[in-house]
Amino acid sequence: MAAHTSKAFLSLGRLNVSGFGLHRSVNRIRYATLLSTNSPSGNKGLPDRGSRGAFARKPRRDAGEPRTEKMAVDQDWTAVYPAAVPFRPSSVPLPVRMGYPVKGGVPPEKKGNLELIKIPNFLHLTPGAIKKHCEALKSFCTEWPSALDTDAKCDQHFPIKVESREYLSASPSVRNPSARIVHLKVKLSSLNLDDHARKKMVKLVGERYCKDTDILTIKTDSCPLRQQNYDYAMYLLTVLYHESWKTEAWEAEKTAADMEEYIWEDSPSQKNILDTLVRMKVAGEGEELREELLRRKEVQEYKDSVTRLKNEGESESAMLQYREAVKKILNL
Amino acid sequence: MATYMALRPEFCSLAGILAGFSHLGRRGLRACRCQRKCPLIRSTIPSISSSSFHMAAVFSSTPSSVTVTEEPDTLLQKVSLLVKGHDRAVLDSYEFFATTAAKELGITLGKISEPLRDIERLTLLKSIHIFKKHRVQYEMRTYYRCIELSHLTGCTAQVYLEYIQRNLPEGVALEITKTAMEKIPEHILEPMWKDPSDDNPI
């Protein structure tokens, strides 16, 4: 009877916690009936009720021995902590201390320690538990093809790289709008492009092409879903490819200023050097045609050095090469 | 040239498997996992493309309900996890968990680095009215951990990432960068203007 009474009073605070619906209703009934017949049941807590009012405290049940006393050393820990649960000091047989130490003392013990409850614990993910989980998950994994062990082979067979991101964080919403962005990277050397198509492609994409790494990056974020952005990126790549193979009528009007790299033929440098050589020959004896002059080795070397200077910019070795070529051509 | 058509097992989501197992109760492990996973079904599930999730219609009584399809598996050259949290110790533990799980599942680990932390500090007035000379300062620290994995298939990545994400501790954020690699599609292999007399289609 005493047990029933205590249970009934206790059920006041614990109705939400217990999951037993049937017991809940039974307790409620018990409480209602007991309330009317209060005085006959003489219990130690009841006299306090009159003096303190609504917050009379029945002595709690004894907690009993903590579970840690009964734990065997070789128990199955995954049965104690199978899921992510806040820290329970009576279930963890470790003498853990956490918190700021008392003056001249040690950090507080684990019993009733809020710091240990606040911090996320990994007691459910011990190495043994991870092994068990992975054992069960292994059957759903597939092997990586063994022939693709180096990055070079991957690039050779699978040149298109599609990069996307996923985000996971605690927030009111599961979704993150940045997850729709797709980056498509491809090396132009792996596409089937001829010279004209390659130059046209580079001109079409502009900033998206990196000359050092020869990678074209297409970033799409205009559609709301990742799949749509991926499809759009592939569509853009297809259109760029086919457009760059086309030769329009107005492309014939390409001037020297539009050229991507310096071409020595028909340039002022060629005219100048040929004029100089012709005048040198005239000053000497015999006349050589310009074409024969062009075919001479020194002229070719001079052409290489000037092209290198113009295309790669000025550097020690380029300047030295130019100097040697000029010395040879002018017989200095 | 060898074609890399890996047979891709149907990956039924973990929740689905365990719902099927809940009435088995044969092994303690399964029952434990059921307890662990079922309350977490409501937790945040990342935006994995649903086109690759095919729920198997039949849950047989045997534990392995893996069906194999002929669809070629995606190949991920690199998967990079960036974990952000307020506490370095929590990130250490999570890194241990992620690396152990990767080793168990046979995934090659790349670099594990710790980018520099960020501290955002605020200086606010201590009192609601006047007392400008007395302020209080708060700071928010964000620690980072970057784990790189390489050479994963689509199925393995799904399994591993779902496992990692379900066990992400509270207050920790995760950002996953996946680099998938693909062959050049057939329509880009050759230009379509083979015959110059054709009109230009779009």
Side-chain angles (χ1 to χ4, degrees), chain B residues 61-114:
Chain B
S61 56
T62 53
S64 58
S65 53
V66 181
T67 47
V68 179
T69 51
E70 290 298 323
E71 208 183 305
D73 208 350
T74 47
L75 296 168
L76 299 177
Q77 191 173 21
K78 198 166 76 131
V79 173
S80 164
L81 309 172
L82 179 69
V83 194
K84 301 193 272 193
H86 294 299
D87 205 327
R88 212 179 241 150
V90 172
L91 292 184
D92 285 338
S93 302
Y94 190 73
E95 177 205 316
F96 174 77
F97 158 65
T99 47
T100 314
K103 278 185 209 130
E104 291 292 322
L105 290 175
I107 298 172
T108 37
L109 279 172
K111 273 191 308 175
I112 301 173
S113 61
E114 189 183 347

Side-chain angles (χ1 to χ4, degrees), chain B residues 46-61:
Chain B
S47 54
I48 304 175
S49 57
S50 58
S51 60
S52 50
F53 262 74
H54 301 280
M55 297 289 290
V58 173
F59 281 114
S60 58
S61 56

Side-chain angles (χ1 to χ4, degrees), chain A residues 301-320:
Chain A
E301 274 181 26
Y302 180 76
K303 166 195 162 192
D304 287 334
S305 65
V306 169
T307 319
R308 190 180 159 196
L309 266 176
K310 290 272 184 179
N311 282 340
E312 291 170 26
E314 294 186 0
S315 66
E316 269 303 319
S317 49
M319 289 306 285
L320 280 171

